[in-house]
């Protein structure tokens, strides 16, 4: 069988060869970037790279190339490391230069690092804490895993001499390392006492360090999966997490944005070494807590040294990350027919209520496409009323939406949830980390809020704060993160739909009453089990919703002039018939009407349809 490309299984070998043949410090780094960018731009080669999202951590071999589809949950201070350093051969005394770029530790058996050399150079890398995309739906995971399972199973050709990957992984965890007194392996090292395993990097060492980290690990007791906080915003989610290290200092990495990082996968045992607190003389307790929290065991929270990265505008696995022009053109041609199919499906979801089905379609396609001051232009929060209390309909409704879009979460608005859940992220200054909150969600997430679960009772101060945070998200797509001494606004793009018996207590842009036109099934679970269309049609609808949501939008001056004339005429005939807020809502719906038809420009015919839709909706609300 053909072997897996060496650049996937041994990326550090490729990087080291480029370093050894370098002509200048900047030239070899640029060559590394260009090499991996060229490889990963090829879809077939990119598909060969394993993903942290698809495999258990213990199945992933260290020091191989790995992908991670994730959201940035927290951003750390820049990390300084030995970019280049001088080495001396123990047996011959010859000197040479090495690099610890894309590594957590310096591993050069037979050599000593000359720490005081004037030729050593310090580098800087950005460090972010990333979690699997919050609310990522099951069908998305399954499709990505199916792509991964289609990868050719190839023989692993590494320094392990043709052995299988599992054996390489085991041997990599027992790698031979250089120590001041000779060569020893990790297994022997673990048998030693830890008199100075961490103290060497925090105070004057009593003995030389056994291995040289490229950046200093913190002291801390051995941790297990039971007491390591993975910092997932949504309670109950337990996807992979990772500390990602980015070497491009010019790249602006923002909290809550989604990326696909590709880099060298590192699970070095030094970051899981047990520690005796007596060895940390001179380090204050608060600093100890910060260091321990910021570097959890790599066996549970691995490191990824990035060689390539791309921001993800969407995570739909049925579409390429960057939409080619051909796909956009095909969407324009087929959108009208797919829209009809989706409306028919949503009508079954709403028991034949076409106005609610149309409202839901507009909601699913909405996004914040610009901001004017504090106003998030393009959002369309939806309130569907007429939902009976104690019904299973809201949860079943949420499950259907989850089967159509890529990211959702269902929130039963019970008093217990409102009073006990932490909605807003909070800065923990002792740990120097941003503790996640339920509303720390990436753009394009759909939040289904079940207000029928809210029964009479009292909100405590936490519950009041949570309601305020939720209201702020729905009003301006802004959440004030708690930095204890001050609040910092973070801007979001989360689609919120509220299901309630009467008008919601939460502020919504569009309210519509569910009025079934067909008999409501007595057994809702059985009815919803038969609801989904064929897999082929379901995938077409998923693609349609993603492309419609991402579409560009413009308005011809002549159309804008006609809309202004309509507004003036409406205000002249009845001053209360159309307010400025009504006009803004209609303009948003008009954009979504155009997007639902695959058009990038609003036409007068779309404006007429939207005005008729809104009049019918208002009639239903009476």
């Amino acid at each position: 069988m053909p072997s897996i490309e060496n650049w996937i299984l041994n990326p550090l070998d490729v990087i080291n060869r480029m370093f050894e043949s370098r002509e200048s410090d900047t030239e070899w780094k640029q060559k590394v970037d260009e090499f991996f960018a060229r490889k990963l731009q090829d879809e077939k080669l990119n598909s060969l790279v394993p993903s942290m999202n698809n495999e258990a951590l213990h199945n992933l071999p260290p020091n191989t190339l790995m992908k991670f589809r994730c959201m940035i949950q927290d951003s750390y201070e820049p990390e300084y490391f030995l970019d280049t350093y001088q080495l001396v051969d123990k047996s011959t005394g010859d000197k040479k230069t090495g690099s610890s770029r894309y590594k957590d530790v310096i591993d050069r058996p037979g050599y000593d690092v000359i720490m005081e050399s004037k030729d050593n150079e310090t580098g800087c890398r950005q460090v972010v804490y990333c979690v699997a995309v919050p609310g990522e739906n099951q069908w998305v995971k399954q499709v990505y895993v199916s792509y991964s399972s289609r990868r050719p199973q190839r023989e692993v050709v590494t320094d392990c001499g043709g052995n299988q990957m599992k054996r390489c992984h085991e041997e990599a965890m027992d790698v031979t390392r250089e120590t001041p007194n000779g060569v020893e392996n990790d297994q022997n090292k673990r048998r030693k006492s830890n008199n100075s395993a961490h103290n060497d990097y925090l105070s004057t060492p009593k003995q030389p360090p056994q291995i040289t980290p490229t950046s200093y690990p913190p002291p801390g007791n051995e941790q297990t999966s039971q007491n390591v906080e993975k910092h997932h915003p949504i309670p109950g989610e337990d996807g992979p997490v990772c500390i990602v290290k980015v070497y491009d200092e010019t790249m602006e990495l923002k909290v809550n944005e989604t990326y696909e990082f590709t880099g060298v996968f590192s699970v070095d045992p030094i970051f899981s070494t047990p520690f005796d607190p007596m060895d940390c003389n001179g380090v204050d307790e608060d600093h100890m807590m910060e260091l321990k929290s910021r570097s959890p065991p790599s066996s549970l929270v691995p490191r990824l040294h990035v060689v390539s990265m791309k921001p993800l505008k969407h995570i739909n696995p049925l579409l390429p990350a960057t939409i080619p022009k051909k796909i956009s053109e095909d969407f324009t041609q087929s959108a009208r027919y797919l829209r009809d199919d989706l409306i028919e499906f949503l009508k079954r979801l709403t028991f034949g209520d076409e106005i609610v089905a149309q409202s839901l379609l507009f909601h699913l396609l909405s996004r914040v496409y610009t901001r004017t001051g504090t106003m998030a232009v393009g959002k369309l929060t939806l309130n569907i009323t007429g939902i009976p209390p104690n019904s299973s309909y809201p949860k079943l409704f949420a499950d259907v939406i989850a089967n159509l879009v890529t990211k959702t979460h269902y929130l039963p608005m019970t008093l217990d949830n409102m009073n006990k859940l932490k909605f807003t992220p909070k800065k923990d200054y002792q740990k120097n980390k941003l503790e996640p909150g339920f509303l720390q969600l990436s753009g394009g997430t759909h939040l289904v809020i079940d207000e029928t679960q809210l029964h009479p009772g009292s909100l405590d101060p936490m519950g009041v704060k949570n309601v305020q945070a939720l209201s702020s998200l729905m009003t301006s797509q802004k959440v004030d993160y708690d930095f204890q001494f001050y609040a910092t606004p973070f801007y979001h793009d989360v689609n919120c739909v509220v299901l309630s018996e009467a008008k919601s207590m939460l502020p919504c842009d569009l309210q519509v009453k569910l009025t079934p036109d067909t008999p409501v099934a007595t057994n809702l679970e059985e009815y919803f089990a038969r609801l989904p269309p064929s897999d082929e049609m379901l995938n077409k609808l998923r693609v349609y919703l993603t492309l419609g949501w991402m579409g560009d939008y413009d308005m011809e001056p002549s159309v804008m002039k006609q809309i202004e004339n309509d507004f003036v005429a409406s205000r002249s005939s009845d001053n209360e018939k159309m307010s400025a807020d009504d006009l803004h809502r209609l303009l948003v719906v008009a954009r979504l009407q155009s997007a639902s038809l695959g058009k990038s420009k609003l036409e007068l015919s779309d404006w007429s349809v939207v005005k008729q839709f809104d009049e019918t909706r208002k009639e239903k609300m009476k």
Side-chain angles (χ1 to χ4, degrees):
M1 285 189 297
S3 65
I4 293 181
E5 293 280 357
N6 188 61
W7 60 275
I8 295 177
L9 292 173
N10 292 296
L12 290 177
D13 285 355
V14 176
I15 292 168
N16 288 338
R17 286 199 298 269
M18 291 184 183
F19 175 76
E20 295 294 340
S21 61
R22 72 192 182 284
E23 296 179 1
S24 69
D25 286 339
T26 56
E27 171 261 350
W28 81 273
K29 297 172 186 176
Q30 186 177 348
K31 277 188 175 180
V32 170
D33 293 340
E34 291 173 351
F35 173 84
F36 286 103
R38 187 171 63 252
K39 291 286 188 183
L40 296 169
Q41 281 171 0
D42 186 311
E43 237 178 87
K44 291 183 179 178
L45 292 179
N46 197 326
S47 68
L48 297 176
V49 181
S51 172
M52 284 178 57
N53 301 86
N54 303 338
E55 300 282 349
L57 284 181
H58 61 269
N59 291 332
L60 299 176
N63 299 323
T64 59
L65 205 65
M66 202 70 60
K67 291 187 291 193
F68 187 32
R69 183 178 66 258
C70 58
M71 183 192 82
I72 298 176
Q73 190 274 323
D74 194 9
S75 179
Y76 297 169
E77 289 83 8
E79 183 177 85
Y80 295 92
F81 67 102
L82 276 178
D83 199 343
T84 57
Y85 53 87
Q86 291 291 303
L87 294 163
V88 59
D89 190 310
K90 285 186 174 184
S91 57
T92 66
D94 293 339
K95 293 182 179 180
K96 63 183 296 186
T97 303
S99 174
S100 61
R101 205 171 178 85
Y102 308 109
K103 301 173 185 175
D104 282 315
V105 298
I106 297 173
D107 178 21
R108 300 299 293 264
Y111 287 88
D112 278 335
V113 178
I114 308 174
M115 298 298 293
E116 67 278 4
S117 172
K118 60 183 176 61
D119 294 324
N120 290 354
E121 292 184 3
T122 301
C124 181
R125 52 196 176 198
Q126 297 189 66
V127 184
V128 289
Y129 187 93
C130 298
V131 299
V133 180
E136 184 177 82
N137 286 318
Q138 195 60 35
W139 72 266
V140 176
K141 295 182 175 74
Q142 289 172 350
V143 174
Y144 275 118
V145 169
S146 71
Y147 291 163
S148 176
S149 64
R150 293 175 199 165
R151 276 204 321 269
Q153 299 299 311
R154 301 169 180 240
E155 183 183 354
V156 178
V157 180
T158 68
D159 293 339
C160 298
N163 292 325
Q164 295 302 311
M165 189 175 290
K166 182 177 180 182
R167 182 177 171 188
C168 291
H169 176 61
E170 291 169 351
E171 293 181 2
M173 296 303 289
D174 195 26
V175 64
T176 299
R177 295 178 189 265
E178 176 65 14
T179 68
N181 301 317
V183 175
E184 68 172 0
N185 61 31
D186 288 334
Q187 187 175 357
N188 292 332
K189 201 161 38 177
R190 282 191 291 270
R191 295 193 187 108
K192 286 189 172 186
S193 66
N194 287 285
N195 285 341
S196 60
H198 293 289
N199 191 47
D200 291 326
Y201 310 111
L202 298 170
S203 60
T204 304
K206 300 174 184 177
Q207 300 174 358
Q210 293 182 337
I211 61 176
T212 306
T214 69
S215 57
Y216 298 154
N221 294 321
E222 186 175 27
Q223 293 172 297
T224 66
S225 58
Q226 283 74 31
N227 58 25
V228 171
E229 299 172 337
K230 288 195 172 183
H231 292 271
H232 288 283
I234 296 177
E237 289 197 346
D238 191 32
V241 297
C242 186
I243 293 175
V244 175
K245 304 188 178 185
V246 178
Y247 290 82
D248 184 352
E249 296 178 55
T250 64
M251 183 65 66
E252 186 179 5
L253 301 174
K254 294 183 179 180
V255 169
N256 303 333
E257 289 188 345
T258 53
Y259 285 86
E260 182 180 76
F261 293 107
T262 304
V264 180
F265 180 72
S266 174
V267 286
D268 201 282
I270 185 176
F271 291 102
S272 300
T273 307
F275 161 74
D276 184 352
M278 297 300 293
D279 292 329
C280 271
N281 297 328
V283 180
D284 64 83
E285 185 177 343
D286 286 345
H287 190 49
M288 283 269 302
M289 184 179 295
E290 175 187 339
L291 291 172
K292 180 179 177 181
S293 173
R294 294 284 281 263
S295 286
S298 58
S299 56
L300 301 172
V301 185
R303 280 63 168 165
L304 193 70
H305 294 263
V306 174
V307 297
S308 179
M309 57 183 286
K310 58 184 177 185
L312 297 177
K313 293 183 178 180
H314 71 88
I315 59 166
N316 189 331
L318 304 172
L319 288 166
T322 303
I323 308 299
K325 186 177 179 181
K326 179 68 167 61
I327 290 181
S328 298
E329 291 173 349
D330 291 344
F331 170 69
T332 302
Q333 299 297 321
S334 60
R336 185 179 301 273
Y337 307 105
L338 289 171
R339 181 190 192 278
D340 292 341
D341 291 332
L342 183 54
I343 286 290
E344 287 303 313
F345 174 65
L346 295 177
K347 282 171 67 176
R348 296 199 298 275
L349 172 63
T350 57
F351 307 108
D353 192 325
E354 186 165 2
I355 293 298
V356 176
Q358 288 180 338
S359 302
L360 188 54
L361 171 62
F362 295 147
H363 166 75
L364 293 174
L365 293 175
S366 65
R367 67 177 174 90
V368 178
Y369 62 89
T370 189
R371 287 185 179 271
T372 304
T374 59
M375 180 181 291
V377 182
K379 74 177 183 70
L380 189 72
T381 52
L382 179 63
N383 177 207
I384 302 176
T385 65
I387 310 298
N390 304 317
S391 170
S392 60
Y393 180 79
K395 180 62 173 72
L396 295 168
F397 174 95
D399 291 341
V400 171
I401 301 303
N403 214 18
L404 288 172
V405 298
T406 55
K407 295 176 283 187
T408 62
H409 188 66
Y410 167 70
L411 172 63
M413 202 171 167
T414 63
L415 279 173
D416 198 51
N417 281 342
M418 301 308 293
N419 287 333
K420 292 183 179 179
L421 287 180
K422 184 174 65 175
F423 277 35
T424 57
K426 182 178 181 179
K427 181 74 172 183
D428 185 327
Y429 283 98
Q430 278 193 315
K431 298 179 180 178
N432 197 17
K433 293 188 72 171
L434 182 66
E435 302 290 344
F438 176 76
L439 296 182
Q440 191 178 6
L441 302 171
S442 60
T445 304
H446 292 259
L447 186 59
V448 180
I449 303 168
D450 182 5
E451 200 175 297
T452 66
Q453 298 286 327
L454 187 61
H455 300 301
S458 299
L459 290 172
D460 61 19
M462 173 65 81
V464 172
K465 184 178 179 180
N466 286 338
V467 170
Q468 290 172 342
L470 195 54
S471 298
S472 175
L473 176 69
M474 297 175 70
T475 303
S476 57
Q477 288 295 309
K478 175 179 72 73
V479 178
D480 290 329
Y481 289 17
D482 184 0
F483 279 70
Q484 296 189 32
F485 309 108
Y486 57 91
T488 300
F490 280 74
Y491 295 99
H492 290 261
D493 185 8
V494 177
N495 287 15
C496 301
V497 56
V498 184
L499 282 75
S500 58
E501 186 177 5
K503 184 178 179 180
S504 173
M505 64 180 285
L506 298 169
C508 293
D509 299 314
L510 193 67
Q511 183 185 352
V512 62
K513 184 177 181 181
L514 179 62
T515 310
D517 288 342
T518 59
V520 177
T522 53
N523 188 329
L524 287 178
E525 286 76 10
E526 187 178 306
Y527 173 79
F528 273 82
R530 300 194 307 266
L531 195 62
S534 66
D535 290 344
E536 182 183 1
M537 176 54 68
L538 199 54
N539 284 338
K540 287 181 179 179
L541 297 181
R542 290 164 174 168
V543 169
Y544 165 83
L545 285 171
T546 300
L547 292 175
W549 175 76
M550 293 178 63
D552 295 324
Y553 177 71
D554 196 7
M555 187 184 297
E556 295 287 355
S558 58
V559 177
M560 190 66 225
K561 183 65 176 177
Q562 181 61 50
I563 292 173
E564 289 175 0
N565 293 338
D566 284 355
F567 178 65
V568 172
S570 176
R571 296 279 289 181
S572 299
S573 61
D574 184 352
N575 197 40
E576 296 182 359
K577 188 173 183 180
M578 183 181 291
S579 66
D581 289 339
D582 291 332
L583 176 62
H584 173 73
R585 184 185 67 251
L586 286 179
L587 287 172
V588 170
V589 175
R591 172 190 172 272
L592 298 171
Q593 167 68 12
S594 297
S596 71
L597 294 169
K599 297 186 291 189
S600 59
K601 292 185 177 181
L602 178 66
E603 298 175 1
L604 282 176
S605 58
D606 299 321
W607 178 247
S608 300
V609 168
V610 166
K611 287 196 297 182
Q612 182 59 51
F613 159 81
D614 203 50
E615 288 176 7
T616 307
R617 180 189 67 85
K618 288 179 178 178
E619 283 295 321
K620 281 173 58 74
M621 296 303 298
K622 291 180 180 177

